[in-house]
Protein backbone atom coordinates (compact mmCIF):
# COMPACT_ATOMS: atom_id res chain seq x y z
CA UNK A 1 0.00 0.00 0.00
CA UNK A 2 1.47 3.36 -1.02
CA UNK A 3 0.84 6.93 0.01
CA UNK A 4 -0.61 9.27 -2.61
CA UNK A 5 -0.65 13.00 -3.06
CA UNK A 6 -4.08 14.36 -2.16
CA UNK A 7 -3.96 16.53 -5.27
CA UNK A 8 -4.35 13.35 -7.33
CA UNK A 9 -7.29 12.06 -5.29
CA UNK A 10 -11.02 12.46 -5.86
CA UNK A 11 -12.52 15.69 -4.40
CA UNK A 12 -11.02 15.59 -0.89
CA UNK A 13 -12.61 18.97 -0.12
CA UNK A 14 -15.96 17.18 0.07
CA UNK A 15 -14.61 15.37 3.16
CA UNK A 16 -13.37 18.43 5.04
CA UNK A 17 -16.61 19.44 6.74
CA UNK A 18 -17.41 15.95 8.02
CA UNK A 19 -14.07 14.12 8.27
CA UNK A 20 -10.76 14.99 9.94
CA UNK A 21 -8.21 13.59 7.45
CA UNK A 22 -4.87 12.21 8.70
CA UNK A 23 -3.52 10.26 5.76
CA UNK A 24 -4.41 9.15 2.23
CA UNK A 25 -3.21 5.86 0.71
CA UNK A 26 -3.80 3.86 -2.46
CA UNK A 27 -4.55 0.13 -2.44
CA UNK A 28 -4.79 -1.06 -6.03
CA UNK A 29 -7.71 0.82 -7.57
CA UNK A 30 -9.04 1.95 -4.18
CA UNK A 31 -8.16 5.13 -2.30
CA UNK A 32 -8.30 5.02 1.49
CA UNK A 33 -8.71 8.10 3.68
CA UNK A 34 -7.68 7.64 7.34
CA UNK A 35 -8.95 9.94 10.07
CA UNK A 36 -11.92 10.61 12.35
CA UNK A 37 -15.48 11.14 11.24
CA UNK A 38 -17.16 14.21 12.69
CA UNK A 39 -20.67 12.87 11.99
CA UNK A 40 -22.46 9.48 12.06
CA UNK A 41 -21.43 7.07 9.30
CA UNK A 42 -24.68 7.31 7.35
CA UNK A 43 -24.58 11.10 7.36
CA UNK A 44 -20.93 11.08 6.25
CA UNK A 45 -21.67 8.87 3.23
CA UNK A 46 -24.65 11.00 2.19
CA UNK A 47 -22.59 14.16 2.50
CA UNK A 48 -19.61 13.09 0.39
CA UNK A 49 -21.22 10.57 -1.98
CA UNK A 50 -22.44 13.00 -4.70
CA UNK A 51 -19.03 14.64 -5.23
CA UNK A 52 -17.15 11.35 -5.22
CA UNK A 53 -19.72 9.75 -7.55
CA UNK A 54 -19.30 12.58 -10.05
CA UNK A 55 -15.57 11.86 -9.98
CA UNK A 56 -16.26 8.17 -10.74
CA UNK A 57 -15.93 6.72 -7.24
CA UNK A 58 -18.20 5.00 -4.73
CA UNK A 59 -17.71 5.60 -1.01
CA UNK A 60 -17.90 3.28 2.00
CA UNK A 61 -16.93 3.86 5.63
CA UNK A 62 -15.11 1.35 7.80
CA UNK A 63 -12.49 1.45 10.55
CA UNK A 64 -8.97 0.16 11.16
CA UNK A 65 -8.43 -3.18 12.89
CA UNK A 66 -7.67 -1.37 16.12
CA UNK A 67 -10.83 0.72 15.79
CA UNK A 68 -8.85 3.88 16.54
CA UNK A 69 -9.33 5.44 13.12
CA UNK A 70 -12.16 5.69 10.64
CA UNK A 71 -11.45 4.84 7.01
CA UNK A 72 -13.30 6.26 4.02
CA UNK A 73 -12.82 3.83 1.13
CA UNK A 74 -13.27 5.19 -2.40
CA UNK A 75 -13.30 2.69 -5.25
CA UNK A 76 -13.85 3.27 -8.96
CA UNK A 77 -17.36 2.65 -10.22
CA UNK A 78 -17.56 -0.35 -12.53
CA UNK A 79 -18.36 0.69 -16.10
CA UNK A 80 -19.59 -2.70 -17.26
CA UNK A 81 -18.54 -6.32 -17.62
CA UNK A 82 -14.78 -6.80 -17.24
CA UNK A 83 -13.58 -9.57 -19.54
CA UNK A 84 -15.51 -12.73 -20.35
CA UNK A 85 -18.14 -13.52 -17.65
CA UNK A 86 -17.09 -17.16 -17.35
CA UNK A 87 -19.11 -17.88 -14.20
CA UNK A 88 -22.31 -16.51 -15.75
CA UNK A 89 -21.74 -18.45 -18.98
CA UNK A 90 -20.89 -21.67 -17.12
CA UNK A 91 -24.07 -21.46 -15.04
CA UNK A 92 -26.08 -20.67 -18.16
CA UNK A 93 -24.71 -23.76 -19.92
CA UNK A 94 -25.32 -25.94 -16.85
CA UNK A 95 -28.90 -24.66 -16.57
CA UNK A 96 -29.55 -25.28 -20.26
CA UNK A 97 -28.42 -28.88 -19.75
CA UNK A 98 -30.38 -29.38 -16.51
CA UNK A 99 -33.62 -27.93 -17.91
CA UNK A 100 -33.34 -30.02 -21.06
CA UNK A 101 -32.82 -33.24 -19.11
CA UNK A 102 -35.59 -32.47 -16.63
CA UNK A 103 -37.85 -31.27 -19.44
CA UNK A 104 -37.26 -34.42 -21.46
CA UNK A 105 -37.84 -36.79 -18.54
CA UNK A 106 -40.64 -34.95 -16.74
CA UNK A 107 -42.57 -32.90 -19.29
CA UNK A 108 -41.91 -34.70 -22.59
CA UNK A 109 -42.26 -38.19 -21.03
CA UNK A 110 -39.10 -39.54 -22.62
CA UNK A 111 -38.11 -42.74 -20.75
CA UNK A 112 -34.87 -42.59 -18.76
CA UNK A 113 -33.59 -45.67 -20.59
CA UNK A 114 -33.98 -43.83 -23.89
CA UNK A 115 -32.13 -40.79 -22.53
CA UNK A 116 -29.21 -42.91 -21.27
CA UNK A 117 -29.03 -44.76 -24.56
CA UNK A 118 -28.97 -41.55 -26.57
CA UNK A 119 -28.47 -38.36 -24.50
CA UNK A 120 -29.07 -36.18 -27.57
CA UNK A 121 -32.75 -37.14 -27.40
CA UNK A 122 -33.10 -34.45 -24.68
CA UNK A 123 -32.82 -31.84 -27.45
CA UNK A 124 -36.51 -32.52 -28.07
CA UNK A 125 -37.15 -30.53 -24.90
CA UNK A 126 -35.55 -27.33 -26.24
CA UNK A 127 -38.93 -25.46 -26.35
CA UNK A 128 -39.34 -26.10 -22.62
CA UNK A 129 -35.80 -24.85 -21.94
CA UNK A 130 -36.32 -21.78 -24.11
CA UNK A 131 -39.57 -20.97 -22.30
CA UNK A 132 -38.13 -21.37 -18.78
CA UNK A 133 -34.85 -19.56 -19.42
CA UNK A 134 -36.51 -16.90 -21.55
CA UNK A 135 -38.80 -15.89 -18.70
CA UNK A 136 -36.09 -15.99 -16.02
CA UNK A 137 -33.42 -14.25 -18.09
CA UNK A 138 -35.81 -11.49 -19.21
CA UNK A 139 -36.72 -10.79 -15.58
CA UNK A 140 -33.09 -10.48 -14.47
CA UNK A 141 -32.01 -8.55 -17.58
CA UNK A 142 -34.73 -6.02 -16.74
CA UNK A 143 -32.92 -5.38 -13.46
CA UNK A 144 -29.54 -5.29 -15.20
CA UNK A 145 -30.45 -2.81 -17.92
CA UNK A 146 -32.18 -0.37 -15.57
CA UNK A 147 -29.40 -0.76 -12.99
CA UNK A 148 -26.81 0.20 -15.58
CA UNK A 149 -29.00 3.10 -16.68
CA UNK A 150 -28.85 4.45 -13.13
CA UNK A 151 -25.10 3.83 -12.90
CA UNK A 152 -25.37 1.10 -10.26
CA UNK A 153 -22.70 -1.59 -10.25
CA UNK A 154 -24.80 -4.67 -10.98
CA UNK A 155 -23.82 -8.11 -12.21
CA UNK A 156 -25.10 -10.09 -15.16
CA UNK A 157 -27.67 -12.76 -14.24
CA UNK A 158 -26.55 -15.98 -12.56
CA UNK A 159 -28.85 -18.86 -13.57
CA UNK A 160 -29.11 -21.68 -11.02
CA UNK A 161 -29.30 -25.28 -12.32
CA UNK A 162 -31.36 -27.78 -10.33
CA UNK A 163 -33.38 -30.97 -10.71
CA UNK A 164 -37.13 -31.75 -10.60
CA UNK A 165 -39.54 -30.19 -11.41
CA UNK A 166 -38.12 -27.43 -13.63
CA UNK A 167 -34.37 -28.02 -13.86
CA UNK A 168 -33.60 -24.65 -12.25
CA UNK A 169 -34.08 -22.71 -9.04
CA UNK A 170 -34.32 -19.44 -10.94
CA UNK A 171 -31.77 -16.68 -11.42
CA UNK A 172 -30.18 -13.93 -9.36
CA UNK A 173 -28.14 -10.80 -9.86
CA UNK A 174 -25.74 -9.06 -7.49
CA UNK A 175 -26.04 -5.34 -6.80
CA UNK A 176 -22.48 -4.57 -5.75
CA UNK A 177 -22.72 -0.81 -5.90
CA UNK A 178 -24.50 1.69 -3.70
CA UNK A 179 -28.06 2.73 -4.43
CA UNK A 180 -28.08 6.46 -5.24
CA UNK A 181 -31.70 7.20 -4.29
CA UNK A 182 -35.15 5.74 -3.80
CA UNK A 183 -36.09 6.45 -7.43
CA UNK A 184 -33.24 4.27 -8.71
CA UNK A 185 -34.12 1.59 -6.14
CA UNK A 186 -37.73 1.60 -7.32
CA UNK A 187 -36.86 1.53 -11.02
CA UNK A 188 -34.43 -1.36 -10.61
CA UNK A 189 -36.82 -3.28 -8.36
CA UNK A 190 -39.87 -2.88 -10.58
CA UNK A 191 -38.06 -3.50 -13.90
CA UNK A 192 -37.56 -7.22 -13.26
CA UNK A 193 -41.16 -8.20 -12.46
CA UNK A 194 -42.60 -6.08 -15.27
CA UNK A 195 -40.12 -7.36 -17.89
CA UNK A 196 -40.61 -10.91 -16.61
CA UNK A 197 -44.40 -10.59 -16.79
CA UNK A 198 -44.23 -9.44 -20.42
CA UNK A 199 -42.12 -12.50 -21.24
CA UNK A 200 -44.44 -14.70 -19.16
CA UNK A 201 -47.54 -13.55 -21.02
CA UNK A 202 -45.85 -14.13 -24.39
CA UNK A 203 -44.60 -17.60 -23.40
CA UNK A 204 -48.01 -18.56 -22.00
CA UNK A 205 -49.78 -17.41 -25.17
CA UNK A 206 -47.34 -19.36 -27.34
CA UNK A 207 -47.74 -22.47 -25.17
CA UNK A 208 -51.54 -22.31 -25.33
CA UNK A 209 -51.36 -21.98 -29.11
CA UNK A 210 -49.26 -25.14 -29.52
CA UNK A 211 -50.94 -28.54 -29.92
CA UNK A 212 -51.42 -30.61 -26.75
CA UNK A 213 -49.12 -33.44 -25.73
CA UNK A 214 -50.05 -37.10 -25.66
CA UNK A 215 -49.15 -38.73 -22.36
CA UNK A 216 -47.85 -42.31 -22.72
CA UNK A 217 -49.85 -45.05 -21.02
CA UNK A 218 -47.03 -45.92 -18.60
CA UNK A 219 -47.22 -42.40 -17.14
CA UNK A 220 -50.99 -42.54 -16.53
CA UNK A 221 -51.60 -45.75 -14.65
CA UNK A 222 -54.90 -45.96 -12.80
CA UNK A 223 -54.51 -45.30 -9.07
CA UNK A 224 -51.14 -43.59 -9.42
CA UNK A 225 -50.47 -40.18 -7.84
CA UNK A 226 -49.46 -37.17 -9.90
CA UNK A 227 -48.41 -33.64 -9.00
CA UNK A 228 -50.82 -31.06 -10.42
CA UNK A 229 -49.75 -27.46 -11.05
CA UNK A 230 -52.91 -25.39 -10.68
CA UNK A 231 -53.63 -22.38 -12.88
CA UNK A 232 -52.98 -18.88 -11.53
CA UNK A 233 -55.73 -16.34 -12.42
CA UNK A 234 -53.48 -14.68 -15.03
CA UNK A 235 -53.02 -17.96 -16.90
CA UNK A 236 -56.79 -18.50 -16.99
CA UNK A 237 -57.31 -14.94 -18.24
CA UNK A 238 -54.87 -15.47 -21.12
CA UNK A 239 -56.47 -18.81 -21.97
CA UNK A 240 -59.95 -17.25 -21.99
CA UNK A 241 -58.84 -14.40 -24.26
CA UNK A 242 -57.27 -16.88 -26.70
CA UNK A 243 -60.14 -19.35 -26.38
CA UNK A 244 -57.77 -22.22 -25.60
CA UNK A 245 -58.21 -25.01 -23.01
CA UNK A 246 -55.80 -25.50 -20.11
CA UNK A 247 -56.90 -29.06 -19.31
CA UNK A 248 -58.49 -31.98 -21.10
CA UNK A 249 -61.05 -34.61 -20.05
CA UNK A 250 -58.84 -37.35 -21.50
CA UNK A 251 -56.04 -38.06 -18.96
CA UNK A 252 -53.74 -39.11 -21.80
CA UNK A 253 -53.81 -35.56 -23.22
CA UNK A 254 -52.13 -32.58 -21.57
CA UNK A 255 -51.11 -29.04 -22.45
CA UNK A 256 -47.83 -28.33 -24.22
CA UNK A 257 -44.81 -28.10 -21.88
CA UNK A 258 -44.06 -24.53 -23.02
CA UNK A 259 -47.00 -23.42 -20.85
CA UNK A 260 -44.97 -24.51 -17.82
CA UNK A 261 -42.58 -21.67 -18.65
CA UNK A 262 -45.47 -19.27 -18.18
CA UNK A 263 -46.48 -20.98 -14.92
CA UNK A 264 -42.92 -20.66 -13.60
CA UNK A 265 -42.82 -16.98 -14.59
CA UNK A 266 -46.03 -16.31 -12.66
CA UNK A 267 -45.00 -18.26 -9.58
CA UNK A 268 -41.55 -16.66 -9.43
CA UNK A 269 -43.20 -13.25 -9.82
CA UNK A 270 -45.22 -13.90 -6.66
CA UNK A 271 -42.12 -14.94 -4.73
CA UNK A 272 -40.02 -12.03 -5.97
CA UNK A 273 -42.73 -9.54 -5.01
CA UNK A 274 -42.70 -10.56 -1.36
CA UNK A 275 -41.96 -7.18 0.32
CA UNK A 276 -38.93 -8.32 2.31
CA UNK A 277 -35.25 -7.43 2.30
CA UNK A 278 -33.45 -7.59 -1.02
CA UNK A 279 -36.27 -9.24 -2.98
CA UNK A 280 -37.88 -7.14 -5.72
CA UNK A 281 -40.92 -6.49 -3.55
CA UNK A 282 -38.63 -5.36 -0.74
CA UNK A 283 -36.90 -2.88 -3.05
CA UNK A 284 -40.20 -1.55 -4.38
CA UNK A 285 -41.83 -1.13 -0.96
CA UNK A 286 -38.64 0.39 0.53
CA UNK A 287 -38.71 2.96 -2.26
CA UNK A 288 -42.44 3.60 -1.84
CA UNK A 289 -42.72 3.93 1.95
CA UNK A 290 -39.16 4.43 3.16
CA UNK A 291 -37.94 2.83 6.37
CA UNK A 292 -41.49 1.72 7.22
CA UNK A 293 -40.78 -1.18 4.84
CA UNK A 294 -39.07 -3.07 7.65
CA UNK A 295 -42.25 -3.06 9.72
CA UNK A 296 -44.19 -4.45 6.75
CA UNK A 297 -41.52 -7.10 6.14
CA UNK A 298 -41.85 -8.36 9.71
CA UNK A 299 -45.40 -9.55 8.97
CA UNK A 300 -44.57 -11.46 5.77
CA UNK A 301 -43.21 -14.64 7.42
CA UNK A 302 -46.23 -14.67 9.75
CA UNK A 303 -48.60 -14.44 6.78
CA UNK A 304 -46.84 -17.30 4.97
CA UNK A 305 -46.82 -19.49 8.07
CA UNK A 306 -50.51 -18.61 8.49
CA UNK A 307 -51.23 -19.76 4.92
CA UNK A 308 -49.47 -23.06 5.60
CA UNK A 309 -51.41 -23.58 8.84
CA UNK A 310 -54.73 -22.74 7.14
CA UNK A 311 -54.10 -25.20 4.32
CA UNK A 312 -53.07 -27.97 6.69
CA UNK A 313 -55.43 -27.60 9.63
CA UNK A 314 -58.50 -26.14 7.90
CA UNK A 315 -58.39 -27.50 4.34
CA UNK A 316 -56.55 -30.70 5.24
CA UNK A 317 -53.72 -30.41 2.72
CA UNK A 318 -50.67 -32.58 3.32
CA UNK A 319 -47.20 -31.26 4.11
CA UNK A 320 -45.96 -32.57 0.73
CA UNK A 321 -48.21 -30.14 -1.12
CA UNK A 322 -48.52 -26.36 -0.85
CA UNK A 323 -48.38 -26.49 2.97
CA UNK A 324 -44.67 -27.26 2.89
CA UNK A 325 -44.15 -24.76 0.10
CA UNK A 326 -45.52 -21.77 2.04
CA UNK A 327 -43.89 -22.91 5.29
CA UNK A 328 -40.53 -23.12 3.51
CA UNK A 329 -40.93 -19.62 2.08
CA UNK A 330 -41.95 -18.40 5.51
CA UNK A 331 -38.52 -19.45 6.74
CA UNK A 332 -36.76 -18.01 3.68
CA UNK A 333 -38.58 -14.67 3.97
CA UNK A 334 -37.70 -14.46 7.67
CA UNK A 335 -34.01 -14.91 6.85
CA UNK A 336 -34.16 -12.35 4.04
CA UNK A 337 -36.05 -9.85 6.18
CA UNK A 338 -33.47 -10.25 8.95
CA UNK A 339 -30.70 -9.05 6.63
CA UNK A 340 -32.66 -5.87 5.97
CA UNK A 341 -33.51 -3.85 2.85
CA UNK A 342 -31.36 -1.73 0.57
CA UNK A 343 -30.29 1.62 2.00
CA UNK A 344 -30.35 4.38 -0.66
CA UNK A 345 -28.03 7.36 -0.24
CA UNK A 346 -30.81 9.88 -0.95
CA UNK A 347 -34.00 8.96 0.91
CA UNK A 348 -36.28 11.48 -0.83
CA UNK A 349 -39.79 10.27 -1.84
CA UNK A 350 -40.30 8.82 -5.31
CA UNK A 351 -43.36 10.81 -6.40
CA UNK A 352 -46.95 9.88 -7.35
CA UNK A 353 -46.19 8.39 -10.80
CA UNK A 354 -43.86 5.75 -9.40
CA UNK A 355 -46.20 5.14 -6.46
CA UNK A 356 -48.99 4.37 -8.94
CA UNK A 357 -46.72 2.07 -10.96
CA UNK A 358 -45.78 0.23 -7.78
CA UNK A 359 -49.44 -0.38 -6.95
CA UNK A 360 -50.08 -1.63 -10.49
CA UNK A 361 -47.08 -3.98 -10.25
CA UNK A 362 -48.36 -5.56 -7.03
CA UNK A 363 -51.86 -5.83 -8.56
CA UNK A 364 -50.39 -7.75 -11.52
CA UNK A 365 -48.49 -9.90 -9.06
CA UNK A 366 -51.76 -10.67 -7.26
CA UNK A 367 -53.08 -12.13 -10.53
CA UNK A 368 -50.22 -14.65 -10.35
CA UNK A 369 -50.98 -15.72 -6.77
CA UNK A 370 -52.60 -19.04 -6.01
CA UNK A 371 -53.38 -20.32 -2.52
CA UNK A 372 -52.70 -23.91 -3.64
CA UNK A 373 -50.12 -23.75 -6.45
CA UNK A 374 -49.42 -27.49 -6.38
CA UNK A 375 -51.29 -30.52 -5.08
CA UNK A 376 -51.09 -34.28 -5.33
CA UNK A 377 -53.99 -36.03 -7.06
CA UNK A 378 -54.81 -39.66 -7.79
CA UNK A 379 -55.41 -40.52 -11.44
Amino acid sequence: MESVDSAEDPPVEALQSVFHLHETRRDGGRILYYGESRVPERMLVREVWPAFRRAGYEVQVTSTDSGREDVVVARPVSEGVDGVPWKNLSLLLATVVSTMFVGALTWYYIPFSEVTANPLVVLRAWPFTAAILGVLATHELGHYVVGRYHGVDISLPYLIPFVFPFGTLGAIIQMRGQMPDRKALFDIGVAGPLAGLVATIIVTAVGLSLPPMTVPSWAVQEGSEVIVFNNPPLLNIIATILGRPTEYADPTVTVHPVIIGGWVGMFFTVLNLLPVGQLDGGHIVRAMVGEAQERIAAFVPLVLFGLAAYLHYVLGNSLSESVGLWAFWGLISAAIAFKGPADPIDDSPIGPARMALGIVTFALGALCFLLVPIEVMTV
Side-chain angles (χ1 to χ4, degrees), residues 151-162:
V152 175
D153 185 3
I154 191 169
S155 73
L156 286 168
Y158 295 94
L159 289 158
I160 306 172
F162 196 60

Side-chain angles (χ1 to χ4, degrees), residues 168-182:
T168 178
L169 280 179
I172 60 172
I173 58 169
Q174 290 181 312
M175 285 195 285
R176 299 169 294 217
Q178 293 168 298
M179 196 61 60
D181 51 40
R182 280 163 64 173

Side-chain angles (χ1 to χ4, degrees), residues 19-20 42 51 62 87 96 127 138 168 183 186 189 211 229 235 239 250 252 262 266-267 309 313 319 358 374:
F19 191 80
H20 182 62
R42 192 169 180 178
T62 184
K87 184 181 292 186
V96 168
T138 301
T168 178
K183 291 180 180 178
F186 177 87
F229 294 80
L235 196 153
D250 185 350
T252 63
M266 295 175 200
F267 183 64
Y313 293 107
L319 294 177
I374 58 174

Side-chain angles (χ1 to χ4, degrees), residues 78-314:
S78 173
E79 296 297 331
V81 179
D82 297 324
V84 179
W86 291 113
K87 184 181 292 186
N88 304 81
L89 292 174
S90 298
L91 286 171
L92 170 61
L93 178 60
T95 309
V96 168
V97 173
S98 64
T99 52
M100 276 200 181
F101 269 92
V102 171
L105 293 169
T106 306
W107 302 103
Y108 281 78
Y109 303 100
I110 300 174
F112 183 73
S113 58
E114 188 175 341
V115 172
T116 54
N118 178 20
L120 291 181
V121 76
V122 302
L123 293 176
R124 287 164 51 186
W126 74 262
F128 172 82
T129 292
I132 295 285
L133 299 193
V135 166
L136 297 178
T138 301
H139 179 115
E140 298 302 337
L141 287 173
H143 291 310
Y144 179 81
V145 170
V146 176
R148 286 298 179 184
Y149 170 79
H150 281 286
V152 175
D153 185 3
I154 191 169
S155 73
L156 286 168
Y158 295 94
L159 289 158
I160 306 172
F162 196 60
V163 289
F164 177 83
F166 308 121
T168 178
L169 280 179
I172 60 172
I173 58 169
Q174 290 181 312
M175 285 195 285
R176 299 169 294 217
Q178 293 168 298
M179 196 61 60
D181 51 40
R182 280 163 64 173
K183 291 180 180 178
L185 179 62
F186 177 87
D187 292 349
I188 294 170
V190 83
L194 291 181
L197 277 174
V198 171
T200 294
I201 291 170
I202 292 173
V203 164
T204 302
V206 170
L208 288 168
S209 301
L210 292 173
M213 290 275 296
T214 299
V215 182
S217 57
W218 59 262
V220 193
Q221 297 179 4
E222 187 175 351
S224 62
E225 292 185 337
V226 296
I227 297 177
V228 176
F229 294 80
N230 292 319
N231 293 349
L234 181 59
L235 196 153
N236 285 331
I237 291 171
I238 298 170
T240 299
I241 292 173
L242 296 178
R244 302 290 296 181
T246 61
E247 57 184 22
Y248 298 87
D250 185 350
T252 63
V253 178
T254 186
V255 295
H256 196 280
V258 165
I259 296 179
I260 300 301
W263 192 97
V264 168
M266 295 175 200
F267 183 64
F268 279 20
T269 295
V270 170
L271 298 180
N272 273 296
L273 285 177
L274 292 175
V276 295
Q278 302 287 325
L279 292 180
D280 298 343
H283 291 323
I284 297 169
V285 174
R286 175 63 177 84
M288 292 174 71
V289 303
E291 294 181 353
Q293 182 269 340
E294 294 192 62
R295 294 194 292 273
I296 295 172
F299 287 98
V300 173
L302 299 177
V303 171
L304 294 175
F305 288 135
L307 287 178
Y310 174 76
L311 289 175
H312 184 59
Y313 293 107
V314 178

Side-chain angles (χ1 to χ4, degrees), residues 311-328:
L311 289 175
H312 184 59
Y313 293 107
V314 178
L315 299 187
N317 285 28
S318 69
L319 294 177
S320 62
E321 299 179 294
S322 297
V323 175
L325 177 68
W326 293 127
F328 172 76

